[in-house]
Amino acid sequence: MGTLLGAALPVGAQSKEPLIWGGDTDGGFPYVFANPANPEEVIGFEMDLARALADEIGRPIEFKQRTYESLLADLERGDIDIAMNGLEITPKRLKRVAFTRPYYIYQLQLVARADETRFQNLDEAKAKGLVIGTLGATAAAELLEVQNVPFKTYDDQQGPYDDLVQRAIDGVLMDLPIAIYYAAPDPRLKYSQLKPGLKFLGPSFADGYYGIAVRPNDTKLLADLNGGIDRLLDSGKLEEILHKWKLWTPDQYRLYKTVEIVAGGQEMRFGDYLPLLLKGAGVTVLLTLVSFALAVILGLVVAVARMYGPAPVRWLAVGYVEFFRGIPVLLLLYFIYYGIPAIIPGLKLDPFLAAVLGFGLNYGAYEAEIYRAGISSIPRGQWEAAASLGMPAALTFRRIILPQAIRVILPPMTSDLVALFKDTSVVSIIAVVELSKQYQILTKSGGGYLQIGLTTAALYLIMSVPLGYLSRYLEQRWGHKG
Amino acid sequence: MTWNIDIANVTKRFGPRLVLNEVSVSIQSGETVALLGPSGGGKSTLLRCLNGLNTFDAGEIRIGEHVLQPGNHAADLQAVRRVFGMVFQDFQLFPHLSVLDNVIEAPIQVLGWPRAKAVERAEPLLKRVGMAGHLHAYPGQLSGGQKQRVAIARALAMEPRGLLCDEITSALDPELKHEVLEVLEDLKRDGLTLILVTHEMGFARKAADRVVVLCDGKILEDGPPAQVLEQPRTERMKMFLQRVLG
Ligand SMILES: Nc1ncnc2c1ncn2[C@@H]1O[C@H](COP(=O)(O)OP(=O)(O)OP(=O)(O)O)[C@@H](O)[C@H]1O
Ligand SMILES: [Mg+2]
């Protein structure tokens, strides 16, 4: 790392306490990432920049792993001192944090499959209703939203390119540095993540600036960092780093000019975010209902198999119940969405379907036990009375036993429905945008934690409270007596 | 076609316990038979064997042209069960169905009758057992005697040749017993075969053509009521009568 004592800067040198730098190695190439050859080591062009900066300001800079989306919040909370991870300087962000002068000028690059003929640019994609993937809470995502292009956001930068190759989406719009590492077949790229069969579509566009974010009141730190970047530009050190990572473009000469970006962008208003939240609530409801329908069917089949099936079928049913009750639903969702396609290439489920499957399997196990208890609570005599009337077993089950068992089953079943309704919020890990995820997205880009949070909570309550009452009502009405 | 019952050497065990020990009885179509005996003697078990609710380990039961054998749980079990209706001590009405729906459920679902036809047949039956005024009541709203009369109507709705009744009055108060016993006498007059497990000695004496006494899984006595109840041949029978008649 060289000397940590910045010879030129006595002001910054008094404090040897390391500066905590937040970034996300999951964000990936070429910013900061785990060295494939030695996963313990974090490398990337920003790591090189941080080292050079540490020398300049005379203070060590220590990397701390955070999630990309929470970087600004972490900064505000004081968990980190600076955030540097391809953070675009936007008017919206400037309202929350201060940025150093830019250390890189990025552009957005559209990437499509090599055989793509349907579109050449975003306008054509939009006209044909094609879906563009991008990283959540980035300038690219904002641009797609503003221009009304159908798009899908991801938590990691590799996901969109994978989905593009597998034809789940039609294009990817991301910052040029990322596009270079995933779609440019340049053999000189040391850490290339090249995905086969992709091409750049049109020239890169929509200039933007990466800057280092600091808390607005850390003015001395900001001045130190700006001074450091100045000197790295003057000495050619920054250019050297960018060359090393094949990120240098002629545009970068404009880094030498001072750019002025002012804070702005209007505050999200109720009328702006309510439709988005309502849409998220719709997904939550749909997800809950479809998953529950699957759980009910599975539960009934498994309960009947466990009670009346021949021995091997019974064991299978017991195995199902124990297995799916025993593993966390989060793990199950993760496995279905990410694990299965990794094992069986090509079997990539739509996130909504994956969520339905995960919840259906998980809740099906609980339903099965509820149904089994309900069905066994009906006295044998009812079976015998029906049999003595010449009713076969299946008919008896359907006409006599089940209708009575439902009274026992319904109250606990309703509470399960309420629980599932709230559990659906965990699907954000597999990129289903339901109510909770929508809240996350909205607040990540624009703050407004309280107002949007209250609205989101109100939406949940409007839906769950009546369900809760229904459950208690059924409990009172039917709970004690079959 | 007659529907005689032939029970030949039927043996039934529950685990190590011998519950029916080579029981043989023949019952003519149209007979009313009272099945008596001490508790645990095997009465219920025998009755349930007749209806295929219990299997047995040896012997054979013929009901008309149907044959029940150990292991062979007749392919026509449903048909066998339709020959005799069964009425239980604890009624076993379907609590989620109204009185009328209890009665028409099996005719519609099993015989495939249209609802209108089933209702048309059910109404006179319910009238006959004195329940015409409660068609739309639910079992939970009825007295025990009323429930048992509905249960009889429900069994009759399948147009059986007879009824198997297992202590159908024991859960009832004396006045309510009377209602139910009257219905049975009425059915006897119609020529239905009735096999009644009962502790009603008075009723057995008055209404039964025959009394069969089952004790420790064997037939202890079998004959007309006057003979069995008034001139018992065995000491065991005398003791039993003393206990029952107090
Ligand atoms: N499902 C069963 N499992 C084990 N043993 C049984 C079962 N049903 C009946 N038994 C036993 O078989 C014997 C005969 O029972 P059963 O019910 O036929 O007697 P019963 O003559 O009807 O008596 P009660 O007058 O008390 O009703 C009893 O000893 C009883 O405990
Ligand atoms: Mg009995």
Side-chain angles (χ1 to χ4, degrees):
Chain A
M1 181 175 295
T3 169
L4 293 178
L5 282 174
L9 249 186
V11 217
Q14 339 167 306
S15 154
K16 300 285 165 26
E17 212 182 304
L19 204 51
I20 306 298
W21 158 37
D24 188 354
T25 55
D26 281 350
F29 306 87
Y31 305 89
V32 272
F33 55 94
N35 185 350
N38 172 20
E40 298 286 298
E41 188 194 6
V42 177
I43 57 177
F45 89 89
E46 287 176 341
M47 180 55 81
D48 289 352
L49 175 58
R51 283 183 184 147
L53 261 181
D55 286 349
E56 291 296 337
I57 64 174
R59 197 173 158 188
I61 297 179
E62 189 181 302
F63 179 78
K64 196 167 175 189
Q65 168 64 33
R66 314 300 298 173
T67 55
Y68 177 79
E69 281 103 340
S70 71
L71 284 176
L72 294 197
D74 291 341
L75 192 61
E76 283 166 343
R77 270 208 317 271
D79 291 350
I80 56 179
D81 300 315
I82 62 173
M84 169 170 65
N85 199 189
L87 281 175
E88 304 97 339
I89 306 175
T90 61
K92 234 182 197 172
R93 284 188 176 138
L94 279 168
K95 290 175 68 186
R96 294 173 70 180
V97 295
F99 274 99
T100 59
R101 62 176 301 165
Y103 60 86
Y104 188 74
I105 300 179
Y106 73 89
Q107 291 185 307
L108 297 180
Q109 178 62 52
L110 193 54
V111 170
R113 286 183 295 273
D115 60 4
E116 186 58 73
T117 52
R118 293 168 300 174
F119 70 107
Q120 284 301 321
N121 52 46
L122 281 184
D123 286 340
E124 288 175 22
K126 175 180 162 186
K128 299 210 163 115
L130 302 175
V131 179
I132 307 297
T134 190
L135 200 56
T138 57
E142 219 167 284
L143 181 114
L144 290 169
E145 192 173 351
V146 169
Q147 298 200 0
N148 248 323
V149 182
F151 71 105
K152 190 173 160 196
T153 61
Y154 292 77
D155 285 344
D156 67 314
Q157 60 187 33
Q158 177 168 337
Y161 291 108
D162 280 341
D163 271 8
L164 181 60
V165 170
Q166 301 195 8
R167 303 187 167 266
I169 54 177
D170 306 295
V172 172
L173 182 70
M174 283 212 262
D175 297 5
L176 185 60
I178 305 175
I180 287 173
Y181 273 76
Y182 284 89
D186 180 347
R188 291 168 306 159
L189 287 177
K190 188 163 172 209
Y191 298 102
S192 172
Q193 296 297 304
L194 187 67
K195 300 281 160 190
L198 298 181
K199 66 174 177 193
F200 279 27
L201 213 56
S204 47
F205 60 97
D207 268 10
Y209 304 92
Y210 292 152
I212 303 171
V214 301
R215 280 178 290 274
N217 53 1
D218 274 354
T219 44
K220 204 187 79 56
L221 176 62
L222 186 64
D224 288 354
L225 291 170
N226 276 330
I229 295 173
D230 279 345
R231 290 190 295 281
L232 288 176
L233 277 167
D234 291 345
S235 66
K237 184 92 196 328
L238 181 56
E239 185 178 338
E240 199 178 296
I241 291 172
L242 293 175
H243 271 299
K244 172 182 164 194
W245 292 91
K246 304 279 177 269
L247 295 173
W248 180 261
T249 61
D251 281 310
Q252 305 305 327
Y253 284 113
R254 285 190 283 126
L255 285 172
Y256 292 92
K257 283 194 293 188
T258 334
V259 281
E260 182 79 34
I261 302 170
V262 285
Q266 74 268 60
E267 188 78 29
M268 271 261 187
R269 271 169 323 197
F270 189 68
D272 297 331
Y273 60 73
L274 186 67
L276 290 171
L277 287 180
L278 283 176
K279 206 171 137 207
V283 174
T284 293
V285 168
L286 193 68
L287 181 59
T288 305
L289 293 182
V290 178
S291 304
F292 203 63
L294 177 64
V296 166
I297 294 166
L298 274 175
L300 200 54
V301 169
V302 171
V304 168
R306 180 162 182 183
M307 296 177 76
Y308 309 119
V313 173
R314 271 200 320 267
W315 300 330
L316 224 62
V318 171
Y320 169 88
V321 168
E322 295 305 335
F323 182 77
F324 285 105
R325 280 202 311 188
I327 60 170
V329 70
L330 199 68
L331 179 70
L332 184 60
L333 290 173
Y334 213 80
F335 176 76
I336 292 174
Y337 189 65
Y338 294 109
I340 291 181
I343 298 165
I344 312 163
L347 194 73
K348 187 159 167 62
L349 287 178
D350 167 80
F352 187 84
L353 273 184
V356 165
L357 196 61
F359 283 122
L361 285 168
N362 180 248
Y363 272 76
Y366 290 99
E367 293 313 293
E369 285 303 277
I370 292 178
Y371 301 163
R372 193 167 68 95
I375 291 165
S376 354
S377 75
I378 307 305
R380 265 209 78 65
Q382 289 284 304
W383 285 95
E384 292 180 346
S388 75
L389 291 167
M391 293 176 73
L395 181 67
T396 304
F397 183 75
R398 185 164 59 79
R399 299 280 311 173
I400 306 299
I401 305 303
L402 204 53
Q404 296 184 57
I406 280 177
R407 296 160 173 243
V408 185
I409 289 168
L410 221 44
M413 206 171 135
T414 330
S415 359
D416 269 6
L417 182 60
V418 178
L420 171 60
F421 176 71
K422 287 185 280 193
D423 272 3
T424 52
S425 62
V426 309
V427 298
S428 61
I429 63 147
I430 59 170
V432 176
V433 182
E434 42 62 71
L435 188 48
S436 291
K437 178 70 177 177
Q438 188 60 258
Y439 167 71
Q440 253 178 310
I441 293 173
L442 285 171
T443 50
K444 250 171 227 160
S445 57
Y449 290 99
L450 188 62
Q451 307 93 298
I452 303 179
L454 286 175
T455 314
T456 307
L459 283 175
Y460 268 115
L461 290 175
I462 287 169
M463 297 186 282
S464 69
V465 167
L467 261 182
Y469 272 103
L470 177 67
S471 152
R472 259 159 285 156
Y473 168 80
L474 291 174
E475 181 77 59
Q476 266 172 16
R477 173 122 189 246
W478 284 341
H480 340 277
K481 234 191 88 70
Chain B
M1 156 89 44
T2 61
W3 292 94
N4 297 342
I5 299 176
D6 257 311
I7 302 168
N9 299 314
V10 166
T11 296
K12 168 74 178 171
R13 286 170 208 281
F14 280 116
R17 190 183 188 120
L18 192 58
V19 177
L20 296 177
N21 186 358
E22 304 209 339
V23 171
S24 297
V25 190
S26 291
I27 294 166
Q28 302 297 305
S29 170
E31 255 188 313
T32 297
V33 177
L35 198 52
L36 308 185
S39 181
K43 305 180 294 291
S44 298
T45 306
L46 182 61
L47 209 62
R48 291 164 59 86
C49 285
L50 286 178
N51 212 6
L53 288 180
N54 278 353
T55 55
F56 46 92
D57 302 307
E60 183 181 279
I61 298 176
R62 283 177 178 277
I63 298 172
E65 61 191 356
H66 303 289
V67 183
L68 291 175
Q69 280 171 333
N72 141 35
H73 226 164
D76 58 350
L77 188 62
Q78 258 91 44
V80 177
R81 283 175 174 159
R82 260 180 271 146
V83 178
F84 282 94
M86 184 130 184
V87 186
F88 302 85
Q89 180 175 358
D90 51 358
F91 328 122
Q92 296 294 349
L93 292 181
F94 305 134
H96 61 300
L97 299 179
S98 71
V99 165
L100 182 63
D101 285 335
N102 260 276
V103 177
I104 64 177
E105 175 71 11
I108 292 177
Q109 299 294 336
V110 178
L111 303 180
W113 291 2
R115 188 180 163 90
K117 177 180 176 186
V119 171
E120 194 182 303
R121 302 281 176 98
E123 278 172 350
L125 284 175
L126 283 164
K127 189 160 175 227
R128 183 170 187 182
V129 298
M131 291 300 293
H134 300 81
L135 295 187
H136 303 293
Y138 279 81
Q141 303 166 308
L142 303 178
S143 75
Q146 290 174 322
K147 280 185 200 165
Q148 202 55 293
R149 285 182 283 149
V150 173
I152 292 171
R154 180 176 70 176
L156 292 175
M158 291 299 282
E159 307 193 320
R161 301 291 154 159
L163 292 184
L164 308 172
C165 301
D166 194 354
E167 302 196 38
I168 66 172
T169 57
S170 345
L172 305 179
D173 293 339
E175 321 89 79
L176 301 181
K177 279 184 182 166
H178 187 66
E179 300 171 353
V180 173
L181 293 175
E182 270 186 348
V183 170
L184 288 181
E185 279 190 86
D186 189 34
L187 295 175
K188 171 183 162 65
R189 278 194 292 276
D190 264 18
L192 259 73
T193 309
L194 298 177
I195 305 179
L196 315 166
V197 176
T198 183
H199 293 300
E200 302 295 323
M201 290 304 167
F203 180 75
R205 188 173 295 138
K206 185 168 75 159
D209 303 317
R210 230 168 110 192
V211 171
V212 174
V213 181
L214 205 53
C215 184
D216 297 332
K218 278 182 147 358
I219 304 244
L220 189 62
E221 302 264 353
D222 181 354
Q227 182 212 307
V228 174
L229 299 179
E230 263 129 61
Q231 296 143 13
R233 291 176 297 134
T234 58
E235 279 308 305
R236 186 82 180 76
M237 187 64 199
K238 282 179 197 157
M239 272 167 55
F240 169 67
L241 285 176
Q242 252 170 19
R243 204 150 17 108
V244 177
L245 300 175

